[in-house]
Amino acid sequence: MFYVPLVFIVLLITGTAFAYLMGAVSIVTFIATDKAQFLSVLPQRIFAQLDVFAFMAMPMFILTAEIMSRAGATRSLIDFAMSLVGRFKGGLGHVNILTSVFFAGISGSAVADSAALSRTFVPEMTARGYTPYYAGAITAASSMIGPIIPPSIIMIIYGGLTGTSVAALFIAGVVPGLLLAASLMALNAGIAVAQDHPGGKSETLPRFLPSLINAAPALCLPVIILGSLVFGLATPTEGSAIAVLFALMAGQFYKGLDWRMIFDAVEATAKMTGTIFIILAAISVLGYLAGQLGWSQALAGWVDSFGLTGTKYLFFLMAVFLVAGMFMDTPVALTLLIPLFAPQALEQGISPIHLGIVLCFNLCVGLITPPLGKCLVVVAALTNLNYWRLAYTALPFIAVQVLVLLALVYWPSLSLALPRLFGFSVN
Amino acid sequence: MRKMIIDLSDGLHKAVRHIAVLAVCLMFFTVMIQIVARYVFSAPPVWTEDVARYAMVWTGLLGATLSFKTRADAVLMESVFPPRPHLLGHLAEAIQSAAVLTFVLPVVYFCFMGLKGGFAKGYLARQSGLTADTLGIPMVWISVSVPLSMIIILLHLAARWAGDSPRGAPPSQLD
Amino acid sequence: EVKIALDGKPDMEQSGSYNWAFAFGNALKAGGMETREMPAGSVGNEAEKFDQVSTGLLEVSLSDVRSIAQVDPFIYGVRLPYIFDDAAHMDRAVAAGNVFERLNNSLAAQDVRVAALVPIGPSSGIITTTQAVRNPADMSSLRMRALDDAQIAMYQAWGSSGTIVPWGEVPAGLQTGVIDGYLNSPFVPVMFGQTDFVRHFSDAGVIIPMRAVLMSKAWYDGLTDAERATVDAAVVAADAANREWLAKASESGLTALEEKSVTVQRLTAEERAVFREASKAVYESDLMPSADVKIWTDLSDANR
Ligand code: NA
Ligand code: NA
């Protein structure tokens, strides 16, 4: 048994891909605990844990975002955000955040948001007198809105792993996403005054109506997705297929799509799905091991012994997930920790939807916290900024995000009121 | 020999790219059929959900080979060792490969062999006795995606050692 | 160690299958065998449980009857609407028709045997949000949640309509009006906290919701004669415990609903007969060959 941690560390420092690391460590553990005969269930286990209804929405929402960004919808969203909030002090900061809100409606990924927007916003904001680090920090921080406002890849993963309604999770993410955006804008407004950022009536702004018309297809997408879920017209999977269809039409409206672009978008989708599926496959092996060795029950007993219940347990989980998010990719942390920690939370009567929102939000905070803040990494790489200085500049934004997270933990109805309103059962 | 392995790996990669694209399209079209059937003919056929789900499993497992071939898999931590051709780089690669083999080989082995009863009691043999619920076809046509993708990954791994180094692919953006 | 894979929460109050598993485990322990309850989900989903029983890694599993159907669809007979009046009727018919023997012949190729059919709760009734139902005509304007094509056909035969909705979407569907009701055991609306919007329960007794107890054939055949006798006796004891619980639950399930102010329509035998007659039209489907349907209806009639 002693050599299992050793294997883990060796595989870790040699940069082994997470899926193969986890798969190998699990298999070594099976052998170390004299349960090698259980390895014969592996093929069935892997297949069964991938063959999950809820996961179907994932490839299609990835495809939607791939098509929309290839078609050049992003620029129209920036222009529209500009026409709305560009006039205020610190205007481009607000535009940056608002663009992320709009972008969130076509993409389920924060890193995609950072990648798509940093090369536009950082030079533009720098040209108008913001420091490049402030521009980079606000771009990275606001990208976190992406996976909170639907669609969201990580919420689909959470839904699939815990058997929670993805539709309800999507609807529950709307208020937290908007709350996050509003909080970031408030911070931006404060800093704009304190540091005398540019902005005001002098700015030349795109005219409202033309920019609205141009942005309309991209803005309609989340409305269609959410509308079909809210009124029970479609399951998330069906909604995701409609989103793909709509993205194909919107793509014609923008730059126009050719077969090459569509093929590339579909191929990228298959590859991204594969990246997450091989992780899910490896985690399914770990999950089986945990079931055989009774880890979940042991962990439950351990948690019980500390008397952590209800909101206290949730705060404990927040600490675990916050640290995990600092070191791991969001889907990796999610797939690894959910099977271990979620059952106790649900056992204690915490709403699976509330839990999903706070855990996903929590892990996303890790996207802009060092040492491994993936959005910071992307922004730093694309704009040639120093990673650590960028992380330092992002500190106030991280603080605001943690405050919003605490509010979400403390007031479940921030997440649950909307799904309740539309008739979803939240417990 | 080296060239043969790399060519085989490249050829398979190209074929899998196309099959995976077809699987995504199949998934998209079946879900569209489901929507149309539900709202236009108000008669949702049951098979659409299963076909779409199985297409998703094929997509994901074939996608895993694409991800492996192009080195797009997520890592927890970059290697602390210098890259190849440094000796430590070779060592790190060898350890990574050992991890891949440790995970993949038992899966492949137990697809074909059972705990008792050898080949006749392997996963695929067990699955061939079962019928997919709504499609009426043997489950084995769907579950064969597991060993197939794992074997392709092993081939890509062999190609890596034969000197295959695909262009650095952009990392996947899932979070 | 005999591992028993559970299918739900270990709840003596509301779960018929746990009553079975508990009694079974106790009888084995009394006979000197070690047992271990595997919590639902800890060894995987239905397909995984079946596969592990098949490989002998799991000794006993409370499984979906569909697990058997993927090998031999004959088992779907127990899910024909109104095929049995109650569990006792089912037990008589299953015994008279040597159903276990027939199923075990087909399951042998998978190294699986079925040891028992276990009702998990009182017979399914009609659960609705707006309309109280006493006869098929009351359902003419309702759209019901269906599990599969066969259920859609049944609703149509009743003069109603059905649409397939996954279980996770049922609460939302009921509240948004996508569906007006569904079919299930009386405990279900209470257990899943749906009594805020579920208004009516009609005790129509459509089908007996149940699990199949699967055993690893390799394990069972490898037991000593004494051990096998212990296991067989434990099955008998567990069946008895389950039927005893079921008798109590049939009434307590209804009163539990009434406590949550869901109105309960207690149908008379004549009123149920109307549903039964209407249902016969759908016995023929592509789920099962007609010859098998005939075997089941004959068994049912001969043992009523
Ligand atoms: Na989003
Ligand atoms: Na932004």
Side-chain angles (χ1 to χ4, degrees):
Chain A
M1 212 34 222
F2 68 96
Y3 53 86
V4 172
L6 194 69
V7 170
F8 180 87
I9 291 166
V10 169
L11 294 183
L12 182 70
I13 61 171
T14 49
T16 306
F18 175 74
Y20 300 98
L21 181 159
M22 224 52 243
V25 169
S26 302
I27 282 169
V28 169
T29 313
F30 268 108
I31 295 164
T33 52
D34 273 331
K35 292 203 178 286
Q37 79 272 22
F38 286 99
L39 294 178
S40 62
V41 307
L42 292 187
Q44 169 67 43
R45 174 77 186 172
I46 289 172
F47 182 84
Q49 297 295 310
L50 299 180
D51 183 22
V52 173
F53 174 78
F55 290 150
M56 268 198 285
M58 183 165 53
M60 307 256 231
F61 280 130
I62 294 175
L63 181 56
T64 304
E66 286 290 319
I67 294 171
M68 288 301 268
S69 63
R70 271 159 220 264
T74 316
R75 186 71 236 179
S76 73
L77 294 175
I78 298 174
D79 285 344
F80 181 57
M82 190 79 192
S83 79
L84 286 179
V85 293
R87 77 198 71 217
F88 301 113
K89 191 156 187 67
L92 269 182
H94 292 314
V95 173
N96 192 328
I97 296 165
L98 195 59
T99 303
S100 288
V101 172
F102 296 150
F103 193 87
I106 59 174
S107 158
S109 149
V111 180
D113 173 299
S114 288
L117 299 180
S118 56
R119 265 206 275 243
T120 308
F121 273 109
V122 175
E124 266 188 45
M125 289 177 74
T126 311
R128 310 241 181 145
Y130 295 80
T131 72
Y133 283 96
Y134 186 78
I138 198 170
T139 303
S142 59
S143 69
M144 190 197 139
I145 299 165
I148 306 300
I149 288 181
S152 165
I153 305 297
I154 53 173
M155 283 188 201
I156 294 171
I157 297 175
Y158 173 88
L161 289 174
T162 60
T164 309
S165 158
V166 173
L169 286 166
F170 275 12
I171 293 167
V174 174
V175 171
L178 295 177
L179 181 67
L180 174 62
S183 311
L184 292 175
M185 281 182 165
L187 177 64
N188 177 57
I191 295 177
V193 173
Q195 300 182 359
D196 194 24
H197 283 170
K201 299 224 161 47
S202 60
E203 295 280 335
T204 47
L205 299 175
R207 283 174 44 228
F208 173 75
L209 204 58
S211 59
L212 172 64
I213 291 167
N214 207 23
L219 292 174
C220 278
L221 196 60
V223 176
I224 290 171
I225 296 168
L226 268 180
S228 64
L229 295 181
V230 161
F231 297 109
L233 299 174
T235 64
T237 309
E238 292 167 348
S240 68
I242 295 169
V244 169
L245 188 68
F246 188 81
L248 287 170
M249 294 191 296
Q252 293 303 333
F253 175 87
Y254 291 110
K255 273 198 294 198
L257 295 166
D258 56 37
W259 286 112
R260 186 76 241 165
M261 281 164 86
I262 295 174
F263 183 92
D264 287 348
V266 175
E267 190 193 340
T269 300
K271 192 166 86 178
M272 283 190 211
T273 309
T275 311
I276 189 70
F277 266 44
I278 193 72
I279 293 175
L280 290 169
I283 290 297
S284 75
V285 181
L286 181 74
Y288 186 71
L289 185 68
Q292 283 298 324
L293 299 179
W295 286 355
S296 201
Q297 290 116 296
L299 195 69
W302 181 77
V303 167
D304 273 351
S305 71
F306 286 95
L308 293 170
T309 52
T311 313
K312 262 192 217 152
Y313 182 65
L314 217 41
F315 278 114
F316 159 76
L317 272 193
M318 289 303 108
V320 173
F321 275 66
L322 204 57
V323 174
M326 288 179 188
F327 292 94
M328 296 182 213
D329 284 0
T330 322
V332 169
L334 200 62
T335 46
L336 183 61
L337 298 179
I338 285 294
L340 291 176
F341 288 99
Q344 286 85 53
L346 302 180
E347 194 77 8
Q348 295 183 8
I350 294 168
S351 154
I353 295 162
H354 183 219
L355 184 70
I357 297 295
V358 294
L359 292 185
C360 289
F361 193 102
N362 189 329
L363 288 176
C364 288
V365 174
L367 292 170
I368 61 158
T369 42
L372 181 72
K374 208 171 171 191
C375 289
L376 290 177
V377 172
V378 167
V379 172
L382 290 178
T383 57
N384 292 317
L385 295 173
N386 176 282
Y387 175 79
W388 291 101
R389 199 171 148 200
L390 186 62
Y392 175 77
T393 319
L395 280 178
F397 292 100
I398 298 172
V400 164
Q401 290 176 347
V402 171
L403 285 179
V404 175
L405 174 63
L406 294 180
L408 292 177
V409 173
Y410 201 75
W411 290 296
S413 52
L414 286 173
S415 315
L416 300 181
L418 210 53
R420 261 199 204 111
L421 180 70
F422 290 108
F424 286 87
S425 144
V426 297
N427 29 35
Chain B
M1 180 67 188
R2 282 178 170 230
K3 187 169 175 324
M4 209 182 80
I5 293 173
I6 296 176
D7 285 350
L8 182 62
S9 157
D10 287 346
L12 265 174
H13 181 59
K14 194 172 173 197
V16 167
R17 282 171 57 207
H18 285 85
I19 301 170
V21 164
L22 283 180
V24 175
C25 294
L26 175 65
M27 190 165 115
F28 171 69
F29 285 116
T30 18
V31 178
M32 288 316 292
I33 290 172
Q34 182 175 319
I35 298 170
V36 171
R38 164 120 44 117
Y39 287 101
V40 181
F41 307 111
S42 74
V46 262
W47 56 268
T48 49
E49 192 201 303
D50 282 351
V51 171
R53 223 178 51 244
Y54 295 142
M56 169 192 73
V57 175
W58 271 100
T59 302
L61 284 168
L62 292 177
T65 75
L66 303 183
S67 175
F68 185 84
K69 169 82 176 177
T70 55
R71 295 188 170 237
D73 286 321
V75 293
L76 272 183
M77 197 175 136
E78 296 296 334
S79 173
V80 298
F81 297 109
R84 291 201 286 184
H86 195 287
L87 189 65
L88 285 174
H90 278 293
L91 181 67
E93 284 268 343
I95 292 171
Q96 288 177 19
S97 300
V100 175
L101 292 175
T102 309
F103 178 31
V104 172
L105 281 179
V107 178
V108 173
Y109 178 82
F110 285 114
C111 281
F112 298 102
M113 303 299 276
L115 204 53
K116 296 170 218 131
F119 191 78
K121 295 291 174 192
Y123 171 61
L124 292 178
R126 298 198 300 275
Q127 289 284 296
S128 61
L130 307 181
T131 310
D133 240 4
T134 57
L135 304 178
I137 59 167
M139 274 301 292
V140 71
W141 290 113
I142 303 142
S143 27
V144 76
S145 55
V146 175
L148 194 68
S149 59
M150 294 295 157
I151 290 170
I152 294 174
I153 285 175
L154 289 178
L155 260 163
H156 289 332
L157 180 70
R160 258 186 211 183
W161 283 100
D164 179 35
S165 51
R167 281 171 295 121
S172 298
Q173 292 159 358
L174 289 160
D175 39 7
Chain C
E1 188 183 64
V2 182
K3 294 186 289 299
I4 306 167
L6 303 181
D7 61 317
K9 283 193 180 145
D11 182 347
M12 292 296 278
E13 195 91 351
Q14 297 194 321
S15 164
S17 48
Y18 188 67
N19 274 271
W20 194 97
F22 186 76
F24 179 72
N26 279 348
L28 288 191
K29 274 181 236 157
M33 297 174 87
E34 258 186 75
T35 66
R36 179 176 169 202
E37 288 179 2
M38 306 300 285
S42 69
V43 292
N45 63 18
E46 288 297 335
E48 294 177 76
K49 282 196 284 188
F50 184 87
D51 194 53
Q52 287 169 51
V53 171
S54 166
T55 53
L57 289 171
L58 181 62
E59 287 79 14
V60 181
S61 167
L62 287 147
S63 284
D64 199 332
V65 291
R66 262 163 78 159
S67 298
I68 299 177
Q70 59 185 344
V71 178
D72 188 351
F74 182 69
I75 188 67
Y76 274 141
V78 300
R79 298 217 306 204
L80 291 172
Y82 291 101
I83 188 81
F84 304 125
D85 297 339
D86 50 32
H89 181 201
M90 173 180 87
D91 290 340
R92 288 193 300 275
V94 164
N98 290 323
V99 169
F100 285 120
E101 203 176 306
R102 175 186 163 143
L103 292 173
N104 282 329
N105 279 335
S106 345
L107 287 168
Q110 298 285 332
D111 288 327
V112 172
R113 65 185 290 275
V114 52
L117 292 170
V118 180
I120 52 176
S123 297
S124 288
I126 302 158
I127 297 161
T128 50
T129 50
T130 49
Q131 173 78 41
V133 174
R134 290 201 78 92
N135 61 64
D138 293 334
M139 299 175 68
S140 59
S141 64
L142 302 187
R143 186 160 44 163
M144 301 291 292
R145 177 255 179 165
L147 272 170
D148 49 30
D149 278 346
Q151 245 183 25
I152 291 185
M154 182 190 74
Y155 290 129
Q156 282 167 349
W158 291 358
S160 180
S161 66
T163 182
I164 294 177
V165 175
W167 173 244
E169 316 288 338
V170 163
L174 288 171
Q175 291 178 82
T176 52
V178 169
I179 45 174
D180 304 301
Y182 67 101
L183 216 61
N184 221 319
S185 213
F187 280 127
V188 170
V190 181
M191 256 171 5
F192 290 88
Q194 299 172 350
T195 49
D196 292 341
F197 46 90
V198 160
R199 295 263 57 93
H200 305 281
F201 181 86
S202 178
D203 178 25
V206 186
I207 49 170
I208 304 172
M210 67 178 98
R211 297 276 179 262
V213 176
L214 301 183
M215 284 181 183
S216 158
K217 187 169 180 298
W219 165 75
Y220 183 80
D221 291 348
L223 294 173
T224 64
D225 288 344
E227 285 169 333
R228 204 173 307 117
T230 306
V231 171
D232 290 342
V235 170
V236 174
D239 280 344
N242 168 270
R243 302 307 190 267
E244 193 184 320
W245 169 85
L246 188 64
K248 282 187 224 135
S250 298
E251 185 50 32
S252 68
L254 300 184
T255 47
L257 281 169
E258 283 169 334
E259 277 163 24
K260 296 277 183 181
S261 60
V262 173
T263 61
V264 173
Q265 307 291 330
R266 289 176 169 77
L267 302 194
T268 64
E270 291 74 29
E271 283 171 316
R272 281 190 194 180
V274 179
F275 279 101
R276 185 163 68 223
E277 281 312 308
S279 303
K280 282 187 176 161
V282 300
Y283 276 23
E284 296 293 338
S285 71
D286 50 9
L287 280 180
M288 234 187 333
S290 332
D292 289 354
V293 175
K294 175 133 178 26
I295 296 176
W296 282 108
T297 46
D298 289 349
L299 280 176
S300 168
D301 291 341
N303 295 284
R304 182 156 269 128

